[in-house]
Amino acid sequence: MATVLMCRRIPRLSRAAALSTTAKHEAEHGSSKSEQEEKDNPGTANTGSESTATIQLLNPLDYRVLYNPSAYARGRAGSQQHLDRGSGQALGDTLTGPGTAQAPQAFPAASSQTLPPIRRAKSNTLLQQTILAALSKEEAEKEKWEVHDSKEDPRVFQKGRPEYRSLSCDSSEPAQPLPAEEGDSILDSVAACEGSPGSITDHFQRLSRLPAERRAGLAAEPRFDALCHCAVRAIRLFSTSDLIQVLKSCVLLAVPPAHPLLDACEGEFCRRAWDMELEQLLLVADCWRCLERSVPSYLSILFSFANLHWKDLTLPQFVQLVYIIGEGRRSPADLAQKVENTIVKYMDSFTLEELGTICLGLFKSVSGISDHVMRRIADRVSLQLEDMSTYALVNVLKMLRYTRMDHLPLLKELGKVIPERIPTVNIQGIMHITLTYSSLHYFDEGVLAAVAMALPPKVSYCRSKDAAKFLWSFGCLDYEPPNEEQFYTSLIKQIHRKLHEFKKFPEHLLTALLGLAFVKRFPEELIDYALREDFVRKTRGSKYELNKDLFTLGKSVEIECPTYRGSRLPPQLYQEFTEMALSFAEREIYVRPEIVEATALLESVLGGPEYVKNHMILPHTRSSDLEVRLAADGHPIPFNFKGPVAARKLADIGVSLTDDLMAQLIKGSARGRSAVDVENEGRTPRQERGGEAGVLCSDGALTAGAKSPAEPKPGRCPGAPLSLPQPGEVRLALQVSNRNHYCYGSKRLLGLHCLKRRQLRRLGYVVVELPFWEWFPLLRRSRSEKLSYLHYKVFDPALLSRAA
């Protein structure tokens, strides 16, 4: 048989004889009727006025063409295992998806004429169905990415070595399942057990092999209750191995954590624990974790046993023990040093997943770890980052921020690896990655931009805590991404949707609102809710110290939102918070060597202590200012007629500017503190740990950006309104900043300090920076050099123009 293809080319028709098979082209390029009909009839010519292709079959007798679009589509797209989420799937793939016909279609061949077009209405309906099927598949895939199983995900490391089989309980489906019909016969034979431990164990094991749907209904079965009662009565007659088998069966049978049988098992295992092997003890502990039962007494015995037999621990046993320590949310103090030594011992032998497990265990149990050991872990991870799962990597990052470890090689490698992984990481993982950067004050625009782009489509998966931490992190680093409106709008809407959760976790709402305030965003409905009397009462009763957060939020709204008409904090609270801040400042801030030195030298430059004031202009920003007032002609104006308490403190405390002290001020931390460590700026030990994921809470978050809560009150009562500059007067607010006011290794101010400078300018002050990279080196130079520097800063002609 011969076939003749006759085709006349028309310039407008670029795909007359091409097979256009993708749903994307259907949706995006089907603008004309002729093009749409060509796509509705792959491989055929159109019957409209622009039809130009015909197929003439010279011998068409009983000849039929088998049309299978999936074969063509897979030929083009079969190698693409993961299509871009913004583009459609090939039409052949969507046609063979769930719920659509997959059988090849037979079309009669035409002679001397074009094939008749498929009816558009039918084609459009089919297209809609295929697109819906594709969307459903996409949503299912997204759901799969977002689901975080807090019980199973931390156990992935157990699949890395065969030794874990004897240390852990496999809660997956049994290898040799029994048919559902056998369930009744097993239960009917319970009466024949007659208290025999072997028979009872056999019944439990057989029941655990039933299909999942049959096992699910056993808890309500009276016959199953009878079996449990038999086990409880005979509990002391079981051998240890049989009792372990019963407990493992309870895991598969999903016995409730408070079930009487488990009460009896826990008591019996505690009684005979010292006669068991460490391997058995770890296995039983793992079963308790799978059953989600809290067993503090059993864990105490396990940890004591491990302490006595520490030298006998194998690597898998050690990792499993650290996992159990983490899941138990408690850290045995007597094991801390042994844990560190063992980590160093096996450092090069751990798999990457095991390193992630160790970090998660230490993090959840709030276990301290030395900088040396954490740096060794970070060294190992930074060299193999691309081979590490994102889940294990996130666990390392949790511990990195907990220890305030500024490991630059790891952070730089993260900047290369993390952005491309972000779209496939679940929302909690993204939150922990983002929070690590903000907690360490490390700014990486590539990572933050990738987070901002990936977040809006995933925002519905955010818990209240997640949304708050995202807002806090971006605000702390003072970063507004390219898609800032979409990013912030989606998160603010999610905060509204989760508003009911803040009744239980008020700290998260304050965290979110402070993060927004740092970047000049003040959602008034949420602020009104946060400053209501009942919500303020909840914050006052919180386990976290939230007073400073309320203070900062309330005062920021007063200064930056003059049209705000919602709830406000009562004056007595403002006075209480101000006094608290000023008291802290007198003890911790005004006496810092760099501030005391600047104050004393400015007095010399200006003519006396009445011309300069070391105080907090804005106590809610928790850092001090050196205020100077100048007249229009450049002469200083005296205004500080109260006793300058802070100016005399240097001699009182005996501070000497040694080389060691200067090295700490300029370069970073002394021994025992990280170079990224946040100052004491009002920070309390408010890192959420354990079940709360161990991150800076809202107060800790705010303090992560600031180190100064307050300052003495000479000349003004706490909480009294600020006086505005008079005409012809320039008020300078000199900022003696330090490295912890900036992003790590940069001159980029953190969010809280940007907020402070913005509010000072709004109140009429001229902000003058004495940045640490200029002022701190001068502290070791001659007095004349320091005086010259300060004279230049204060009497800059550009400043006097402000008074005109």
Side-chain angles (χ1 to χ4, degrees):
M1 179 184 72
T3 302
V4 177
L5 175 65
M6 301 174 62
C7 179
R8 180 160 51 93
R9 185 179 301 276
I10 300 297
R12 179 184 172 189
L13 193 59
S14 61
R15 294 186 297 275
L19 297 180
S20 178
T21 61
T22 64
K24 178 179 179 180
H25 291 169
E26 287 271 334
E28 296 180 2
H29 302 293
S31 58
S32 69
K33 178 178 179 180
S34 60
E35 289 175 345
Q36 179 66 45
E37 288 177 340
E38 289 167 16
K39 294 182 180 79
D40 287 345
N41 298 272
T44 70
N46 213 322
T47 58
S49 60
E50 295 182 358
S51 300
T52 59
T54 60
I55 297 178
Q56 184 178 12
L57 302 180
L58 300 183
N59 187 12
L61 297 177
D62 296 325
Y63 179 73
R64 299 173 73 81
V65 178
L66 290 179
Y67 173 62
N68 184 357
S70 65
Y72 176 71
R74 287 173 183 168
R76 296 178 57 187
S79 62
Q80 299 180 13
Q81 296 181 0
H82 301 285
L83 297 179
D84 182 73
R85 306 193 74 76
S87 62
Q89 291 188 347
L91 184 59
D93 286 344
T94 58
L95 282 171
T96 57
T100 58
Q102 300 182 23
Q105 302 176 24
F107 293 92
S111 172
S112 306
Q113 61 182 0
T114 59
L115 292 174
I118 301 174
R119 293 180 60 187
R120 177 176 297 181
K122 181 177 180 181
S123 175
N124 286 345
T125 301
L126 180 61
L127 178 61
Q128 292 173 0
Q129 292 174 348
T130 57
I131 290 176
L132 288 175
L135 290 175
S136 298
K137 183 177 180 181
E138 187 172 312
E139 288 301 317
E141 187 67 20
K142 181 188 290 187
E143 188 74 29
K144 180 181 177 181
W145 284 347
E146 294 303 328
V147 171
H148 169 61
D149 190 334
S150 59
K151 186 169 72 172
E152 291 301 322
D153 288 351
R155 302 167 61 82
V156 173
F157 75 96
Q158 294 172 346
K159 300 177 182 178
R161 298 179 190 267
E163 293 90 339
Y164 287 115
R165 293 173 189 166
S166 60
L167 303 173
S168 59
C169 178
D170 184 3
S171 57
S172 60
E173 289 299 307
Q176 298 178 334
L178 296 176
E181 296 76 21
E182 286 200 24
D184 287 330
S185 62
I186 296 171
L187 293 173
D188 288 339
S189 63
V190 167
C193 291
E194 297 179 354
S196 167
S199 178
I200 294 173
T201 302
D202 180 65
H203 277 69
F204 272 103
Q205 287 183 306
R206 290 167 62 198
L207 288 173
S208 68
R209 292 167 54 192
L210 294 173
E213 59 274 10
R214 181 67 180 92
R215 298 199 305 266
L218 287 177
E221 287 266 5
R223 293 172 295 177
F224 181 72
D225 279 344
L227 178 62
C228 292
H229 286 305
C230 288
V232 171
R233 288 194 300 268
I235 197 75
R236 294 207 173 189
L237 301 179
F238 285 91
S239 66
T240 299
S241 59
D242 281 349
L243 193 58
I244 291 175
Q245 289 301 322
V246 170
L247 191 62
K248 291 174 67 175
S249 298
C250 288
V251 173
L252 287 170
L253 294 170
V255 174
H259 196 281
L261 173 60
L262 298 185
D263 293 340
C265 287
E266 181 185 353
E268 185 60 20
F269 278 121
C270 287
R271 188 184 68 83
R272 61 174 78 180
W274 290 100
D275 297 323
M276 295 167 60
E277 299 291 333
L278 179 59
E279 189 175 83
Q280 294 175 318
L281 292 170
L282 290 171
L283 173 57
V284 170
D286 197 65
C287 290
W288 293 131
R289 172 55 188 152
C290 291
L291 289 164
E292 298 183 340
R293 180 181 171 93
S294 176
V295 286
S297 298
Y298 179 83
L299 292 183
S300 294
I301 297 172
L302 168 63
F303 299 152
S304 298
F305 188 99
N307 193 14
L308 289 176
H309 299 83
W310 195 266
K311 292 182 179 179
D312 301 327
L313 255 67
T314 64
L315 185 153
Q317 288 174 344
F318 170 73
V319 177
Q320 182 71 11
L321 177 64
V322 175
Y323 162 73
I324 294 298
I325 289 174
E327 296 306 305
R329 301 299 196 275
R330 51 168 300 199
S331 174
D334 52 345
L335 294 184
Q337 189 57 51
K338 291 183 176 181
V339 168
E340 281 203 14
N341 293 341
T342 308
I343 292 173
V344 173
K345 174 183 176 182
Y346 290 124
M347 180 63 68
D348 296 330
S349 302
F350 291 127
T351 66
L352 294 174
E353 294 300 318
E354 287 171 335
L355 277 178
T357 298
I358 289 169
C359 287
L360 182 61
L362 296 174
F363 180 77
K364 284 184 173 182
S365 61
V366 199
S367 300
I369 187 174
S370 67
D371 286 355
H372 168 69
V373 175
M374 189 65 233
R375 195 167 292 280
R376 286 284 305 274
I377 294 175
D379 287 342
R380 167 86 190 279
V381 171
S382 64
L383 297 176
Q384 298 176 278
L385 200 59
E386 293 187 1
D387 300 327
M388 195 171 197
S389 74
T390 304
Y391 181 78
L393 178 57
V394 166
N395 291 335
V396 173
L397 295 183
K398 289 178 181 179
M399 202 60 193
L400 197 71
R401 75 168 184 259
Y402 175 71
T403 56
R404 296 281 177 189
M405 175 61 64
D406 56 323
H407 194 282
L408 283 181
L410 177 56
L411 292 172
K412 289 179 179 179
E413 283 300 311
L414 282 173
K416 301 175 185 177
V417 174
I418 284 295
E420 63 183 20
R421 291 195 190 185
I422 289 294
T424 58
V425 180
N426 68 28
I427 203 71
Q428 292 184 38
I430 298 176
M431 182 271 287
H432 284 298
I433 291 169
T434 310
L435 193 60
T436 297
Y437 280 84
S438 65
S439 296
L440 299 180
H441 296 175
Y442 189 82
F443 180 79
D444 188 316
E445 187 169 9
V447 173
L448 295 177
V451 170
M453 294 303 295
L455 187 63
K458 297 169 172 274
V459 77
S460 61
Y461 296 99
C462 282
R463 304 165 298 173
S464 58
K465 173 183 174 177
D466 299 324
K469 299 303 181 185
F470 280 122
L471 291 171
W472 162 256
S473 297
F474 276 69
C476 175
L477 297 173
D478 190 40
Y479 178 65
E480 295 186 271
N483 63 332
E484 59 180 284
E485 288 306 320
Q486 182 189 24
F487 174 79
Y488 282 108
T489 299
S490 64
L491 282 171
I492 291 172
K493 287 181 178 178
Q494 184 67 3
I495 292 288
H496 276 280
R497 285 191 286 266
K498 297 291 184 179
L499 206 57
H500 62 281
E501 295 184 11
F502 296 118
K503 294 179 181 179
K504 185 176 181 181
F505 305 107
E507 64 274 8
H508 296 328
L509 181 58
L510 294 181
T511 296
L513 293 177
L514 286 173
L516 288 167
F518 292 163
V519 291
K520 298 178 287 189
R521 294 176 184 269
F522 296 88
E524 294 192 357
E525 289 184 10
L526 294 174
I527 292 170
D528 175 64
Y529 181 86
L531 297 182
R532 290 178 189 170
E533 183 180 355
D534 57 338
F535 188 83
V536 171
R537 196 159 45 243
K538 291 182 186 298
T539 65
R540 303 277 278 176
S542 170
K543 63 180 179 179
Y544 302 109
E545 213 296 302
L546 302 178
N547 291 338
K548 292 189 286 292
D549 293 356
L550 282 171
F551 188 27
T552 301
L553 178 63
K555 281 296 183 183
S556 295
V557 171
E558 281 190 8
I559 295 171
E560 301 202 53
C561 303
T563 61
Y564 172 74
R565 296 294 180 266
S567 304
R568 295 183 185 273
L569 294 177
Q572 61 268 26
L573 272 186
Y574 278 136
Q575 180 158 343
E576 176 189 335
F577 295 160
T578 302
E579 289 176 348
M580 175 184 66
L582 296 178
S583 174
F584 179 86
E586 287 185 342
R587 299 191 312 270
E588 301 291 340
I589 298 175
Y590 303 147
V591 296
R592 290 176 182 165
E594 67 273 18
I595 295 177
V596 172
E597 181 82 352
T599 304
L601 290 169
L602 280 171
E603 290 175 0
S604 298
V605 169
L606 299 172
E610 64 270 20
Y611 294 100
V612 60
K613 186 175 183 180
N614 177 9
H615 70 135
M616 297 178 76
I617 299 173
L618 302 174
H620 64 278
T621 61
R622 314 173 200 180
S623 57
S624 68
D625 309 88
L626 301 181
E627 184 175 355
V628 173
R629 300 182 185 180
L630 302 176
D633 60 1
H635 285 84
I637 300 173
F639 68 98
N640 182 25
F641 300 107
K642 300 294 180 181
V645 177
R648 300 192 296 267
K649 292 269 180 92
L650 185 60
D652 296 342
I653 63 174
V655 173
S656 58
L657 298 175
T658 64
D659 288 344
D660 182 60
L661 175 59
M662 291 307 305
Q664 293 178 38
L665 292 173
I666 297 172
K667 296 180 181 179
S669 61
R671 184 169 60 89
R673 293 198 54 171
S674 160
V676 188
D677 195 9
V678 182
E679 314 175 274
N680 288 335
E681 309 177 68
R683 188 192 320 138
T684 56
R686 304 187 54 202
Q687 295 180 334
E688 299 175 359
R689 297 163 187 162
E692 284 299 299
V695 299
L696 277 178
C697 190
S698 77
D699 178 73
L702 218 195
T703 40
K707 177 175 183 173
S708 7
E711 181 158 345
K713 49 182 180 182
R716 181 164 60 92
C717 294
L722 290 167
S723 61
L724 297 176
Q726 301 300 313
E729 176 185 76
V730 178
R731 292 192 180 183
L732 307 182
L734 281 75
Q735 306 299 304
V736 184
S737 60
N738 61 63
R739 60 187 177 81
N740 291 312
H741 295 175
Y742 296 84
C743 291
Y744 180 83
S746 78
K747 298 178 182 180
R748 183 188 185 93
L749 276 169
L750 294 171
L752 176 63
H753 301 285
C754 290
L755 173 141
K756 176 188 176 181
R757 285 152 176 76
R758 188 172 71 236
Q759 293 179 4
L760 285 170
R761 294 187 184 100
R762 192 175 184 92
L763 293 173
Y765 284 86
V766 176
V767 177
V768 178
E769 299 287 352
L770 304 183
F772 71 92
W773 58 87
E774 293 177 357
W775 179 239
F776 283 12
L778 278 173
L779 294 178
R780 288 188 286 186
R781 308 296 289 270
S782 67
R783 176 181 172 83
S784 61
E785 288 178 285
K786 289 181 277 193
L787 290 173
S788 297
Y789 173 81
L790 292 174
H791 188 279
Y792 168 77
K793 286 288 186 177
V794 171
F795 295 107
D796 184 349
L799 300 179
L800 299 179
S801 65
R802 312 282 180 93

